[in-house]
């Protein structure tokens, strides 16, 4: 263990002192925040370019009632459709043709465009036409004060979701927050495991090509060398991760206190079982539930501890496999085929994660959160929704037991591969290396 610790410290010191580590540690959270802000801005941003649409209405019902919306501008046709299509007026986005039987045939609508259309444009058009047709059908019933009646009967329903804990207590729950947390934490596990795992592989390849390993193994066993590298890079990852957690906690807390200070106090009071100190009538139930969960220390600790447990377990498992691959080849070009069996479970986990976020208690989500090769991603996608303690314990136990077995297996490949040069081994040869007796 002393030699493993010495190698781990050397790996840690060598990487932490690099400028790339400092730059990455500082820039990564800033880049992530920037990407999130940019995505939110792009999603809410409307194009400044006007979309002019000529409306050919054979029914005479819809066109007079179409109202400009956003950057869409409607103009009723002053000539037949054939002439409009032949002349192709300049500056026109498209032609909207509404059939004469629109009241009985919902498909009697066609949109001809001179450039690619978008879902937002089509939804805006279809939404307006649907309301116009529905209102015309209602008018056929000859009801007095129909508009006032429709406005009066509008009743938006707000569902306040409460989660019942194992102790029988209830607490606010937010499916929006759970979905966002599942996506973010699951994706972070995938990125970090793959990034730091390949870092182990690249380090082994570099030292092998420089003949450094031949000198090192004269003093330590190959297994000790592999474990030292894995644990050293793991400590680098944890250091970087803790810095990011502190940064996000401080920056996020400051931002939330600035934008929603009173709401945070109210949510904290609700968690403590007291009354809300401020009027929260301006907030909807889901926003209040999100703030309540974000001020719930137990929820935050569950997510942070769960992330650390599955990040460490997932990293150790995949780092052992990546170290074995790195020891078996001479350069990174030769790693592609050998990496395939390693990357497939990670990619599969991302695919299944989408389903797990929609139905975290499904059989598929349950079993993939138990399989060690996919459990780090899938369990983190399920954890925000609430997972029984026994499932987390079994999943984490299987993950770390598999890591121990994989280290033993990878160690056999590692101690042979680090002395192999000039040959690209096949999977059959790797299997032979595992069976060698020493």
């Amino acid at each position: 263990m002393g030699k493993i610790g010495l190698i781990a410290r050397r790996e840690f010191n060598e990487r932490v002192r690099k400028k790339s580590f400092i730059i990455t540690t500082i820039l990564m959270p800033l880049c992530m925040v920037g990407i999130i802000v940019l995505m939110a801005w792009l999603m809410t941003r409307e194009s400044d370019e006007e979309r002019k649409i000529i409306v050919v209405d054979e029914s005479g019902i819809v066109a007079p009632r179409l109202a400009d919306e956003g950057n869409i501008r409607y103009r009723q046709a002053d000539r037949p459709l054939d002439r409009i299509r032949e002349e192709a007026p300049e500056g026109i986005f498209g032609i909207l043709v509404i059939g004469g039987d629109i009241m009985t045939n919902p498909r009697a609508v066609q949109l001809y465009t001179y450039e690619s259309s978008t879902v937002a444009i089509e939804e805006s058009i279809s939404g307006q036409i649907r309301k116009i047709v529905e209102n015309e059908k209602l008018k056929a019933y000859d009801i007095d004060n129909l508009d006032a009646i429709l406005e009066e009967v509008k009743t938006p329903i707000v569902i306040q979701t409460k989660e019942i804990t194992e102790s029988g207590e209830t607490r606010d729950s937010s499916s929006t927050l759970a979905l966002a947390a599942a996506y973010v934490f699951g994706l972070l596990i995938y990125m970090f495991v793959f990034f730091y795992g390949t870092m182990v592989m690249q380090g082994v390849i570099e030292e092998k090509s420089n003949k450094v390993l031949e000198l090192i193994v004269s003093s330590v066993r190959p297994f000790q060398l592999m474990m030292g590298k894995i644990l050293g890079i793991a400590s680098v990852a944890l250091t970087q991760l803790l810095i990011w957690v502190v940064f996000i906690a401080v920056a996020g807390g400051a931002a939330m206190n600035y934008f929603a200070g009173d709401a945070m106090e109210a949510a904290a009071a609700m968690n403590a079982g007291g009354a809300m100190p401020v009027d929260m009538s301006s907030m909807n139930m889901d926003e209040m539930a999100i703030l309540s969960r974000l001020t719930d220390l137990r929820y935050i600790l569950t997510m942070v501890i769960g992330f650390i447990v599955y990040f460490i377990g997932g990293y150790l498992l995949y780092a052992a496999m990546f170290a074995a691959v790195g020891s078996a080849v001479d350069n990174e070009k030769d790693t592609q085929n050998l990496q395939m069996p390693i990357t497939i479970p990670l990619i599969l986990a991302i695919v299944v994660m989408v389903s797990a976020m929609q139905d975290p208690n499904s059989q598929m989500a349950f079993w993939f959160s138990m399989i060690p090769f996919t459990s780090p991603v899938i369990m983190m996608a399920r954890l925000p929704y609430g997972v029984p303690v026994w499932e987390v314990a079994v999943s984490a136990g299987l993950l770390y037991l598999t890591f121990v077995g994989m280290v033993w297996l990878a160690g056999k490949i590692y101690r042979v591969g680090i002395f192999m040069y000039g040959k690209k081994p096949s999977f059959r040869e790797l299997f032979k290396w595992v069976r060698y007796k020493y």
Side-chain angles (χ1 to χ4, degrees):
M1 290 300 298
K3 293 181 179 179
I4 292 176
L6 184 64
I7 296 169
R9 284 195 298 273
R10 178 251 181 190
E11 288 289 332
F12 177 83
N13 292 330
E14 181 184 354
R15 296 178 186 279
V16 167
R17 291 172 181 174
K18 287 183 177 179
K19 291 182 180 179
S20 58
F21 173 84
I22 300 173
I23 294 173
T24 304
T25 303
I26 296 173
L27 291 183
M28 181 65 76
L30 297 177
C31 289
M32 291 182 66
V33 171
I35 290 172
I36 293 172
V37 172
L38 179 61
M39 290 176 63
W41 178 73
L42 290 176
M43 290 176 66
T44 57
R45 177 178 176 270
E46 294 183 359
S47 174
D48 296 332
E49 182 182 355
E50 288 190 352
R51 308 287 189 182
K52 296 180 181 179
I53 298 178
I54 298 177
V55 184
V56 179
D57 186 3
E58 298 174 358
S59 68
I61 298 172
V62 178
R65 294 174 174 82
L66 283 174
D68 296 341
E69 185 176 14
N71 62 337
I72 302 176
R73 302 289 181 267
Y74 297 101
R75 193 177 79 189
Q76 294 191 46
D78 54 3
R79 50 192 182 278
L81 174 63
D82 293 340
R83 284 187 57 191
I84 297 174
R85 295 182 63 177
E86 288 176 2
E87 295 173 2
E90 186 177 353
I92 298 300
F93 174 76
I95 306 169
L96 179 64
V97 181
I98 301 170
D101 58 343
I102 185 63
M103 298 297 294
T104 57
N105 180 17
R107 297 181 179 273
V109 180
Q110 292 178 312
L111 178 64
Y112 300 92
T113 62
Y114 292 99
E115 56 184 272
S116 298
S117 180
T118 65
V119 174
I121 292 174
E122 294 169 8
E123 286 183 348
S124 173
I125 295 172
S126 63
Q128 281 208 56
I129 295 175
R130 185 188 73 250
K131 290 179 181 179
I132 293 170
V133 172
E134 288 175 352
N135 288 335
E136 285 298 315
K137 287 183 178 181
L138 286 171
K139 287 180 180 178
Y141 290 93
D142 196 20
I143 302 173
D144 293 335
N145 299 322
L146 178 61
D147 293 336
I149 293 172
L150 290 176
E151 190 65 29
E152 184 180 349
V153 298
K154 285 182 179 180
T155 309
I157 303 299
V158 179
I159 299 177
Q160 185 176 6
T161 307
K162 296 284 187 179
E163 181 183 345
I164 302 176
T165 63
E166 295 179 357
S167 61
E169 299 176 352
T170 60
R171 61 187 179 191
D172 289 326
S173 177
S174 171
S175 58
T176 303
L177 177 62
L179 183 67
Y183 180 80
V184 171
F185 282 111
L187 194 61
L188 285 177
I189 285 283
Y190 167 80
M191 292 172 57
F192 286 167
V193 166
F194 194 82
F195 175 76
Y196 290 110
T198 53
M199 188 183 293
V200 174
M201 181 184 68
Q202 292 168 355
V204 173
I205 294 175
E206 182 180 351
E207 290 179 351
K208 184 178 177 181
S209 61
N210 293 335
K211 310 294 184 181
V212 175
L213 288 177
E214 294 181 358
L215 298 175
I216 298 177
V217 295
S218 64
S219 302
V220 298
R221 295 171 57 191
F223 179 80
Q224 293 173 323
L225 177 60
M226 183 183 72
M227 282 300 299
K229 292 187 71 67
I230 292 174
L231 295 178
I233 295 178
S235 60
V236 174
L238 282 176
T239 301
Q240 210 165 36
L241 183 62
L242 289 174
I243 294 174
W244 291 341
V245 168
V246 171
F247 172 84
I248 292 171
V250 173
M256 293 183 67
N257 187 59
Y258 178 79
F259 291 107
D262 294 338
M264 293 291 288
E265 291 181 9
M270 289 179 61
N271 288 332
M276 290 188 297
V278 294
D279 181 18
M280 302 305 297
S281 58
S282 61
M283 298 185 64
N284 61 45
M285 290 297 181
D286 193 53
E287 290 173 343
M288 193 65 219
I290 290 174
L291 290 175
S292 178
R293 295 293 269 172
L294 291 176
T295 55
D296 186 352
L297 184 60
R298 180 171 55 181
Y299 176 78
I300 294 174
L301 287 177
T302 299
M303 296 306 303
V304 172
I305 294 173
F307 181 82
I308 292 175
V309 168
Y310 280 96
F311 165 70
I312 293 175
Y315 162 76
L316 293 175
L317 176 63
Y318 278 92
M321 293 188 285
F322 277 115
V325 170
S327 66
V329 298
D330 295 335
N331 54 71
E332 290 190 37
K333 294 181 181 179
D334 296 334
T335 63
Q336 295 179 358
N337 292 334
L338 296 179
Q339 278 192 79
M340 187 63 66
I342 302 175
T343 55
I344 286 178
L346 282 173
I347 296 173
L348 181 61
I350 289 294
V351 174
V352 177
M353 182 185 75
V354 178
S355 174
M357 290 189 300
Q358 301 297 327
D359 188 2
N361 297 316
S362 66
Q363 288 293 315
M364 181 170 65
F366 171 80
W367 287 111
F368 273 90
S369 66
M370 293 297 161
I371 299 172
F373 297 98
T374 56
S375 63
V377 174
I378 305 303
M379 185 56 81
M380 284 310 303
R382 295 183 61 204
L383 212 55
Y385 294 92
V387 180
V389 176
W390 72 266
E391 290 187 19
V392 178
V394 172
S395 174
L398 289 174
L399 175 61
Y400 281 86
L401 284 174
T402 305
F403 155 66
V404 174
M406 187 56 64
V407 166
W408 175 82
L409 191 67
K412 286 180 168 287
I413 297 175
Y414 187 87
R415 62 186 178 183
V416 177
I418 57 176
F419 297 109
M420 290 289 184
Y421 297 96
K423 184 180 181 181
K424 183 179 178 181
S426 61
F427 287 106
R428 172 180 277 185
E429 287 182 283
L430 295 180
F431 182 70
K432 288 181 179 180
W433 294 359
V434 172
R435 298 176 60 188
Y436 284 163
K437 302 291 183 181
Y438 291 93

